[in-house]
């Protein structure tokens, strides 16, 4: 069975900065972890670490505060079997009243400060944990511009309320979201019962599009290095008892990023 999830387009999403991770394994072998009430009345079943994913960022910047707020909103949430999780529903609006602050974000094809900028570091870290856990990804779209912070084609831009990350718990046990943050990193662990073994591969880049160069003036200008636009495919294969159950293609088109010199 082959399924296709398109993650393309000119989007509005937060620009997130953090070193790109490499060598992430899609197949995890980890020990059981007991739930808090194991063994007593109404005991929870033993949990297994389904997947884990970490991203990093520079400390002290405004977006770190936004990341911490969203991480707090996600930590400890439980997705029941058959339920669909919505990032926007869980985190809610990103507004000043709710404590969010302006930080760099992608607005169309340019960078600008936006309240809640940096929030996509949280959604992208969660997306990769879901990807590695073999869970059913229902809605996810990449940023319109490629940034070298995340694996190509494996990111989830969010913008409340239009642009969301959603996934379904298609296992027979609850999935618990654990989010740990520090001054320089964010880690999402998913606890539950893995249904599938996951294997993945990423294609070479293709469909290149050249970038343009320009100048900007004033304090709002954000200098940028020019990058070509390109397309990339990520394949995720789900296996049960060593046999292929489903193969999914995630296609992403990144637009070119103009080179900007601030005068």
């Amino acid at each position: 069975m082959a399924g296709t999830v398109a993650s393309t387009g000119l989007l509005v999403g937060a620009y997130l900065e953090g070193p790109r991770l490499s060598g992430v394994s899609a197949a995890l072998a980890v020990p059981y972890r007991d739930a808090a009430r194991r063994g007593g009345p109404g005991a929870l079943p033993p949990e297994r670490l389904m997947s884990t994913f970490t991203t990093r960022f520079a400390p002290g910047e405004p977006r770190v505060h936004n990341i911490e707020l969203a991480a707090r909103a996600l930590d400890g949430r439980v997705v029941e079997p058959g339920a669909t999780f919505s990032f926007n529903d869980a985190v809610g609006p990103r507004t000043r009243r709710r404590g969010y602050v302006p930080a760099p974000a992608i607005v169309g094809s340019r960078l600008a400060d936006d309240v809640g900028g940096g929030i996509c570091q949280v959604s992208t870290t969660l997306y990769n944990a879901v990807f590695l856990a073999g869970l059913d990804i229902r809605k996810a779209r990449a940023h319109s511009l490629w940034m070298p912070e995340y694996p190509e084609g494996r990111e989830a831009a969010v913008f409340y309320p239009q642009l969301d990350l959603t996934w379904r718990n298609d296992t027979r046990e609850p999935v618990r979201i654990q989010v740990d943050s520090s001054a320089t990193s964010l880690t999402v662990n998913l606890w539950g019962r893995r249904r599938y073994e996951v294997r993945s591969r990423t294609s070479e880049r293709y469909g290149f599009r050249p970038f343009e160069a320009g100048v900007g003036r004033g304090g709002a200008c954000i200098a940028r290095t020019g990058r070509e636009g390109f397309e990339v495919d990520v394949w995720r294969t789900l296996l049960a008892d060593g046999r292929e159950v489903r193969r999914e293609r995630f296609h992403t088109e990144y637009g070119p990023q103009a080179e900007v010199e601030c005068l």
Side-chain angles (χ1 to χ4, degrees):
M1 297 176 59
T4 302
V5 179
S7 51
T8 64
L10 295 178
L11 313 177
V12 179
Y15 165 57
L16 310 166
E17 189 167 341
R20 180 181 176 186
L21 301 180
S22 61
V24 178
S25 173
L28 302 176
V30 291
Y32 279 102
R33 168 175 167 170
D34 290 344
R37 299 199 307 271
R38 183 183 180 189
L44 299 173
E47 292 179 316
R48 182 187 287 270
L49 181 60
M50 301 173 72
S51 63
T52 184
F53 198 82
T54 298
T55 58
R56 303 185 186 280
F57 45 82
E61 298 186 0
R63 68 177 178 278
V64 177
H65 175 74
N66 297 332
I67 290 168
E68 290 173 348
L69 285 180
R72 241 177 272 143
L74 292 183
D75 185 41
R77 291 199 175 249
V78 175
V79 184
E80 297 295 335
T84 296
F85 175 89
S86 163
F87 183 90
N88 281 341
D89 287 350
V91 175
R94 278 72 88 177
T95 63
R96 290 180 185 271
R97 176 174 291 185
R98 301 185 73 238
Y100 290 93
V101 299
I106 295 176
V107 179
S109 59
R110 65 187 181 88
L111 291 178
D113 278 351
D114 188 37
V115 175
I119 202 78
C120 294
Q121 178 128 14
V122 184
S123 58
T124 293
T125 308
L126 174 62
Y127 172 88
N128 276 278
V130 169
F131 182 97
L132 295 174
L135 293 163
D136 182 14
I137 298 171
R138 306 308 295 268
K139 185 188 298 183
R141 303 183 80 175
H143 296 89
S144 54
L145 304 177
W146 177 70
M147 300 292 174
E149 290 82 18
Y150 310 113
E152 296 168 9
R154 278 174 45 184
E155 53 178 293
V158 291
F159 186 77
Y160 191 90
Q162 301 95 332
L163 193 59
D164 200 1
L165 163 65
T166 65
W167 52 274
R168 186 173 66 92
N169 178 6
D170 57 347
T171 74
R172 297 179 180 178
E173 302 285 350
V175 172
R176 180 169 61 88
I177 303 171
Q178 178 188 14
V179 185
D180 295 323
S181 61
S182 70
T184 59
S185 68
L186 180 75
T187 297
V188 172
N189 298 316
L190 296 181
W191 296 88
R193 293 274 191 154
R194 174 183 287 275
R195 184 179 180 186
Y196 301 116
E197 176 189 352
V198 176
R199 296 177 185 171
S200 68
R201 67 179 179 87
T202 303
S203 73
E204 298 293 329
R205 300 178 182 181
Y206 63 96
F208 293 97
R209 295 161 58 191
F211 65 87
E212 299 178 348
V215 296
R217 293 177 173 81
C221 178
I222 300 177
R224 293 188 302 182
T225 301
R227 292 194 180 101
E228 291 181 312
F230 62 91
E231 300 178 41
V232 68
D233 295 315
V234 175
W235 294 90
R236 183 175 72 161
T237 303
L238 306 179
L239 302 99
D241 298 324
R243 295 187 177 183
E244 181 177 319
V245 175
R246 185 166 70 250
R247 184 180 301 172
E248 300 166 315
R249 172 178 173 256
F250 299 81
H251 175 71
T252 302
E253 297 178 12
Y254 292 108
Q257 175 179 291
E259 182 178 286
V260 177
E261 178 185 3
C262 295
L263 301 179

